[in-house]
Amino acid sequence: MDVLDALILGIIQGLTEFLPVSSSGHLELGKAILGDNSIPEESLMFTVVMHFATALSTIVIFRKDIWEILRGLLQFKWNEENQFSLKIIISMIPAAIVGVLFEEQLEQLFGGSVLLVGFMLIITALLLWLADKAKNTGKPVSYSNAFVIGVAQAIALLPGISRSGSTISTSVLLGNDKTKAARFSFLMVVPLILGKIAKDLLDGELTHTGNSTGLIVGFIAAFISGLFACTWMISLVRKSKLSYFAIYCLIVGVIAIVVSYS
């Protein structure tokens, strides 16, 4: 993968991680269009690095929220921050289980599976359309809601299922406030990504023999574009503009399916 390709894919990752159109799906489509011939393990390596960049974007955008949570945890009381942290932990369980038990199978899906991405984007479109029709409420995320949202996040490990789209949509369909749903969705993925990277580093699985410059350029591009997309997405969810992305996912999904059969 050359530097220009990495730059393009980094921008795609940064924008689509937060916008509900599936970052992993668009990365796979982008790789297919750019003619990336990486083996599945190398392709997954690039994907993991790009997700780490957008996790850092999330930390920057929600730095005040994260600081308040950490301060609350250090009080060692059963306060709002401890309750929120427990909900985050509960939401991580399904994806952690799927990631550990089906890691090899998931790796094989990150190798330019355009047909799979197409069908999953259509499912994402349906979720976004349903969520956009839901009424806004003031209801916070409950413990049971956190687990169900976690299941949606686990399903979003498939390329083409938007993580932000599926988790926000699921939260809203459960009756939660849209702004609170977006905040929870973005914060819940940070410890999961950091935990995944830490595990792979300890296991020695994140080895890279390709173009390191490309990884660095892609990382920077994903981080900067992620800052913009995260801020924009919070505003869009609050204003109930998800139907536009539903239409987009539907169109791209149909095109991907048609191209895969041509």
Side-chain angles (χ1 to χ4, degrees), residues 111-122:
S113 182
V114 176
L115 181 61
L116 173 64
V117 170
F119 280 114
M120 295 302 101
L121 280 171
I122 292 176

Side-chain angles (χ1 to χ4, degrees), residues 1 5 8-9 15 44 58-59 77 107 163 212 214 222 227:
M1 183 182 298
D5 290 350
I8 294 172
L9 292 175
L15 293 177
L44 182 62
T58 306
I59 292 173
K77 297 179 181 179
E107 285 182 0
R163 195 207 65 80
S212 297
L227 292 174

Side-chain angles (χ1 to χ4, degrees), residues 10 12 16 25 29 67 112 147 150 165 172 195 202 205 250 252 256:
I12 290 174
T16 58
L29 293 177
W67 174 243
F147 182 79
V172 171
L202 291 174
E205 295 181 5
L250 177 62
V252 176

